[in-house]
Each structure stands twice: as C-alpha cells, then as structure tokens.
Amino acid sequence: MDNSSTEEEDDDDDDDDDDDDDEDDDDDEDDDDDDDEEEESPLPECEAPPEATSAETGNEWDYDMEVVFVDADMSPDSTSSISTVLHSYLYCYMEEADGVLVINAGYPPTIDEFVFGEETNMDEEDELVTDNWSSRRDTLMHQLARELEIKGIGYDIATMYDEPFAAPLPPTFLIAFMQQEGEVYQRFLRRNPAAIDLDLASKLHPAATTPRHQTLYYDGPTHLSYTRPSRIWETWYCATPPGKYLESCTTFLPDLKNGKKHTPRTVVKKDPVKGRSLFAVDDIPEGNFVGSEDAVWNMNLDRIEWQALNEFVDMFPDAKMYAQLRDLFLVYGYEFTTIGASGWSVSLAANNTMTNHACTPEDKNVGATRGMFNGTDVGYSANFSPLIARRAEMASVLVVALRDIKAGEEIMQDYRDFRDLRDAEHEEFLDVNMCQQGVGFVKVETN
C-alpha cells in the first residue's frame, strides 16, 4: 500500500511492517473474493465424489444410472438427502441416460399454512425462510429444473405428486426427468390408463395368489393422478416466490376464473380467397381469451399415441381414413409440449379451428396466453410449475387477444405457433404457398 498520503510517516521498519500487514490484508481480501466467487459458482461439475470408490474392492461405482430413488431423511437436523450438492452429483451420473429421479420428500402443504393466499413461512423481506426441512425441500423443488447457469440442477422437467395411501409414511414424491422429449417422460404422460395396466401385466410377475394384484395401490387409473399435482401445490406455488410474481399466477389464473375475460362470440364467414375465416362479433379487449371453448371441444393424442397412429398409417397405406385422421391433426391441429402434457390436439367443434394464418405481424392479433412460460425472476424455471401441470391443456390451447380487436375484424394467428420445433417444410409452405400464392392446406370451394 502507498502510505505517501498519510499525515504522519513512521520509520522504514514500521513502513515495512505496515506493508507486510497490508499485503496480508490484500491476501485476505483476495481470499474473501475467492470465497464469494466460489459461493456464486455453479454447482459441482461431474466429478466422482469421495465415496464413489469402494474401500473394499477399489472398484468405481457404475454411474450409468437410469432410475434413482431417494428416500429423504426427514430428521429436523438432516438435510443431506435434499441438498443441492447431492442431487447435482446424481444428475451428473444420469446425464447420459434418459433417466428419472424420484424423491420421497415429506408431506404436502396444508391449507392452514396459507392466510389469504400468503404462506406464513415468509420473512419480513417477503422471502422464504430456509431454516427448516420443508423450506429446504421446497427450494430443491425449484432448483431441480433450473438451468445450470442459474444454479439449478439441470433436469428438463420436474413435478410432484401425492400418494395418500402411503400414510402414515410421507406421501409426497418429487419426480424429475432428464429429457423432456425422451421416452421415459413421454410414457409418463400417457393419457390412457389401459396402457399402464397392460404394461404392468406384461412386465411384472403374476401375483402369487389371485385375486391379488402385483401392486397394492398403483395401477393405470392411479397413474393419471400422478401427472396432475393436487390443488394445494398450485396454491403453494402462487403464494411463494418466484411463482407469486409470475404472470401465470398474477394474471392467467385470475383471468381464467373471470367470466368477463372470456370472449365466446365469434362467427365464421366465407372469404373468396381464404375460404372459411373467423371474425369477432364484439369488441375484444387486449388480453381477453378468444374462443375459450376450444379447450373443451378438442381431441388429444399423446406423443406415444401419435407415433402409433403414424406407424399404423405407414403399415396400412390403403386404410385411407386413418391417413385422413392423421391429416386432420396436421392441417387443423397443433403440436404441444408442456409440463403435464405432450402430443397433438385438434378442435372437434370450436370456431377457433377456422382461424387463418397471419402472414404479417400486423395481421396477427391472437396468440398463446401471455406469461405462462416466461419469467424475469432468476429463480424461475418454465419447466417446473404445478399450475401449468394441472392445467396443461388450457396452457397449450387457449389464445388471447394480443391487441384490441374490433367487432367485425378477422381473427388471425401465426401458424408457426402450431409446431413445437422449427419445421422448415411447414414454414416454407406458409411463406410461399399460403402468403405469396394464396394456396392453403385445404382447397377453397368456389361454389
């Protein structure tokens, strides 16, 4: 340190001592900086923990894991089983697999924990108190599906379910999937309970004594409840950060329950070029839902069913009606992938299916519900939301007015929104055939 600015100067020895002390202080400051940087760095990289090698055999643990089950220790002073360090290591040794993590993690919140929608376990700065087991468990739930760059663990999807028959043991299970597009998650989302029952019949040994089943409580119909968190988890999510600050909780959910926010009156008219077209009967304010009944009158195929249909069409090309069924989804339907649902959907009896493609940004006046998959809070992950998981179809189907729409104005949407992944062939058809040549998916009848 330069001491020339001090009002009094000591002798050289003192100066040397001071310099040594200052250097020590600088070293301490550097150490503090290193500590700060270490605290803010991402969670552990994929390195073997000390216990990875067996002391008896010297053999390394086989990390090619596809399923990991953690029975969390709920002792008040024990949080190792729900620590981010442990689960970061587990993630590392599953990342090459289409794997799944299941944690038996305590109990769901109770309604008594919430007062007028606010959780009582909050400090004066409106942050979660993290000095108890449940709060640390809740923190882990948010971290499971966060990106690594924001101190998340990195799973593609995370959700939870409750198994009431587990009582008196803890009934809450957290479940996280390595790959949202992977087979494991897609099979988890199957909608038909018969598919689950037949899986059990084919993969498990027959029960030793009839009429007992191979599983005491689990079967196909039970599985469906695992894909939809209970209402209390939605309440918890929207009463605690970061959920309580997101538009899905502050806008979408209240608007969904407000009848004045729904605009049911639309009319289909014939256009000489575009054919059937959708128009507003009344003025539609920006942000209002348009044609909400579309979420009711639709047909859904999960991704496994969609794959089966396509394989069946390829196997029997002369079965024309099955090809037409597939084409109905491709032409009038849309692809969706979200928390709690994945596949294709098509309207059965809703006017919204007559919505034409918006070739320009100015033409586009309806679109996906705002705020459902967006967040500005660093702790937010679009891949963890009990609200979306509970209302997956609505989150995927409903559209809102992106601006004020006048009565008599045509309602139009960008058809690119109907594909989850970029589809070059689909986009070329929209840009060239539809927008430049005026040729749509369905031939316009001139009569």
Side-chain angles (χ1 to χ4, degrees), residues 245-382:
Y245 304 120
L246 301 176
E247 286 188 48
S248 56
C249 290
T250 62
T251 303
F252 171 79
L253 196 55
D255 286 356
L256 182 65
K257 299 176 181 179
N258 181 356
K260 295 181 179 180
K261 288 290 185 177
H262 295 265
T263 304
R265 297 218 308 162
T266 57
V267 63
V268 177
K269 299 179 181 179
K270 199 71 173 289
D271 181 273
V273 177
K274 295 186 288 187
R276 289 180 291 266
S277 306
L278 187 66
F279 293 84
V281 173
D282 308 302
D283 290 346
I284 305 176
E286 178 181 353
N288 268 29
F289 296 107
V290 180
S292 306
E293 70 277 5
D294 196 20
V296 178
W297 304 112
N298 62 54
M299 177 168 56
N300 298 301
L301 293 180
D302 62 45
R303 203 167 292 277
I304 303 296
E305 292 171 330
W306 175 250
Q307 180 181 348
L309 174 60
N310 279 273
E311 291 174 354
F312 194 80
V313 170
D314 293 340
M315 189 182 304
F316 301 102
D318 57 334
K320 300 299 183 182
M321 286 191 176
Y322 283 94
Q324 292 170 1
L325 174 60
R326 178 197 59 188
D327 293 345
L328 174 67
F329 280 90
L330 290 172
V331 172
Y332 284 103
Y334 53 87
E335 182 184 20
F336 62 94
T337 299
T338 185
I339 308 171
S342 181
W344 282 77
S345 182
V346 65
S347 295
L348 289 178
N351 283 358
N352 276 19
T353 196
M354 305 304 177
T355 304
N356 283 320
H357 173 55
C359 290
T360 68
E362 292 74 24
D363 290 336
K364 180 180 177 179
N365 51 20
V366 298
T369 52
R370 290 176 173 174
M372 286 298 290
F373 307 102
N374 300 318
T376 57
D377 191 285
V378 72
Y380 171 67
S381 169

Side-chain angles (χ1 to χ4, degrees), residues 20-34:
D20 291 340
D21 291 341
D22 291 338
E23 289 176 2
D24 291 340
D25 291 342
D26 290 341
D27 290 341
D28 291 340
E29 291 175 3
D30 291 339
D31 291 342
D32 291 341
D33 291 341
D34 291 341

Side-chain angles (χ1 to χ4, degrees), residues 6 19 23 31 43 55 98 116 144 214 231 255 288 314 333 348 368 385 402:
T6 59
D19 289 342
E23 289 176 2
D31 291 342
L43 291 165
D98 181 14
F116 300 112
L144 284 172
Q214 299 97 323
R231 173 70 181 276
D255 286 356
N288 268 29
D314 293 340
L348 289 178
S385 172
L402 301 179

Side-chain angles (χ1 to χ4, degrees), residues 184-201:
V184 172
Y185 185 57
Q186 298 306 322
R187 291 178 69 84
F188 176 78
L189 293 179
R190 286 178 292 175
R191 297 167 174 267
N192 190 335
I196 309 296
D197 283 335
L198 291 178
D199 271 358
L200 294 175

Side-chain angles (χ1 to χ4, degrees), residues 28-269:
D28 291 340
E29 291 175 3
D30 291 339
D31 291 342
D32 291 341
D33 291 341
D34 291 341
D35 290 342
D36 291 341
E37 291 177 2
E38 184 175 347
E39 289 178 0
E40 295 176 1
S41 63
L43 291 165
E45 296 181 357
C46 293
E47 299 176 353
E51 61 273 18
T53 300
S54 169
E56 291 79 13
T57 65
N59 295 327
E60 291 189 357
W61 181 16
D62 181 3
Y63 292 121
D64 186 19
M65 298 180 291
E66 296 183 353
V67 179
V68 174
F69 178 81
V70 177
D71 190 2
D73 182 355
M74 289 188 62
S75 302
D77 297 330
S78 176
T79 57
S80 59
S81 58
I82 54 171
S83 72
T84 55
V85 173
L86 169 65
H87 288 285
S88 294
Y89 278 129
L90 292 177
Y91 170 85
C92 285
Y93 304 120
M94 294 173 66
E95 65 177 351
E96 298 300 325
D98 181 14
V100 58
L101 167 73
V102 182
I103 310 172
N104 186 198
Y107 296 84
T110 64
I111 199 66
D112 294 336
E113 293 180 46
F114 299 92
V115 180
F116 300 112
E118 297 293 331
E119 197 197 11
T120 57
N121 193 27
M122 309 287 287
D123 62 22
E124 294 180 356
E125 296 180 356
D126 198 32
E127 297 295 333
L128 273 173
V129 176
T130 58
D131 61 353
N132 62 62
W133 195 92
S134 294
S135 292
R136 291 176 182 174
R137 185 273 311 270
D138 295 353
T139 298
L140 175 64
M141 282 196 287
H142 284 289
Q143 287 179 313
L144 284 172
R146 279 187 208 156
E147 297 177 356
L148 297 171
E149 291 75 12
I150 56 174
K151 293 189 176 182
I153 294 175
Y155 289 92
D156 269 8
I157 288 287
T159 186
M160 77 282 285
Y161 64 86
D162 298 311
E163 177 47 79
F165 287 112
L169 300 175
T172 293
F173 293 82
L174 311 184
I175 184 165
F177 298 88
M178 293 295 297
Q179 300 178 23
Q180 184 174 14
E181 297 293 335
E183 184 180 4
V184 172
Y185 185 57
Q186 298 306 322
R187 291 178 69 84
F188 176 78
L189 293 179
R190 286 178 292 175
R191 297 167 174 267
N192 190 335
I196 309 296
D197 283 335
L198 291 178
D199 271 358
L200 294 175
S202 64
K203 298 182 184 303
L204 296 181
H205 291 292
T209 305
T210 55
R212 291 193 61 181
H213 303 286
Q214 299 97 323
T215 56
L216 189 57
Y217 299 119
Y218 178 77
D219 60 8
T222 301
H223 180 85
L224 298 187
S225 67
Y226 291 176
T227 65
R228 302 298 168 101
S230 61
R231 173 70 181 276
I232 192 63
W233 284 113
E234 179 181 88
T235 304
W236 163 83
Y237 180 76
C238 287
T240 58
K244 65 184 298 182
Y245 304 120
L246 301 176
E247 286 188 48
S248 56
C249 290
T250 62
T251 303
F252 171 79
L253 196 55
D255 286 356
L256 182 65
K257 299 176 181 179
N258 181 356
K260 295 181 179 180
K261 288 290 185 177
H262 295 265
T263 304
R265 297 218 308 162
T266 57
V267 63
V268 177
K269 299 179 181 179

